[in-house]
Amino acid sequence: MANLMTVEIVSPEQVLYSGEATMVITRTLGGGEIAFQPGHAAFLGALTENHTRVFLADGKVEDIAVHGGFVEVSSNKVSILSDAAELGSEIDIERARAAKERAAEALQREEDSNAAGDLRRAQARLNAARVDA
């Protein structure tokens, strides 16, 4: 079908999604959100922590927390190779909220150089789980 494209989202642990979709929205490092639809021009970009959405042909959306990696688009295929990723439906919401609180506290005290990244990852997880932080 001309209005569909192939999508693969892979982390080192597993293939999170493999199939067809009408659109993918993700966030590039320093570039903001970007949407890919069938027939998109070739593209290669680095990803930041984000809530990636895969829009399926039946109208459903697959929510995925992506924690860095790369996106490549070519020949009507979107490939996301992530450092780590989780399906929104499998995220432990309370754990993500606790991680967000810890990271926010560490940022306020300026104790942890990784706190900003930790906070972005926790927020991406909560967004993918579709809960208010």
Side-chain angles (χ1 to χ4, degrees):
M1 248 177 137
N3 62 345
L4 293 176
M5 61 188 170
T6 303
V7 178
E8 286 190 344
I9 300 178
V10 180
S11 74
E13 294 82 29
Q14 64 181 326
V15 174
L16 284 106
Y17 180 82
S18 180
E20 293 184 321
T22 60
M23 183 168 54
V24 175
I25 299 176
T26 193
R27 183 174 294 274
T28 59
L29 186 63
E33 282 197 329
I34 187 167
F36 302 107
Q37 293 181 309
H40 196 283
F43 180 87
L44 179 64
L47 298 175
T48 189
E49 299 85 353
N50 78 91
H51 169 204
T52 294
R53 280 97 63 211
V54 179
F55 294 80
L56 308 179
D58 64 4
K60 294 180 182 174
V61 178
E62 188 69 59
D63 297 294
I64 303 170
V66 172
H67 308 296
F70 296 92
V71 59
E72 177 186 18
V73 180
S74 67
S75 303
N76 212 36
K77 180 178 181 181
V78 176
S79 299
I80 293 179
L81 307 172
S82 177
D83 299 336
E86 306 166 84
L87 293 173
S89 60
E90 296 178 357
I91 290 172
D92 181 333
I93 294 167
E94 292 310 313
R95 184 172 168 234
R97 282 184 175 144
K100 181 180 176 184
E101 287 177 25
R102 282 191 308 274
E105 289 172 7
L107 269 177
Q108 287 179 339
R109 293 189 308 266
E110 298 179 6
E111 292 180 358
D112 186 352
S113 63
N114 297 319
D118 293 343
L119 185 59
R120 288 191 306 271
R121 279 187 292 284
Q123 189 62 57
R125 294 177 77 224
L126 290 168
N127 290 346
R130 293 200 178 248
V131 296
D132 292 325

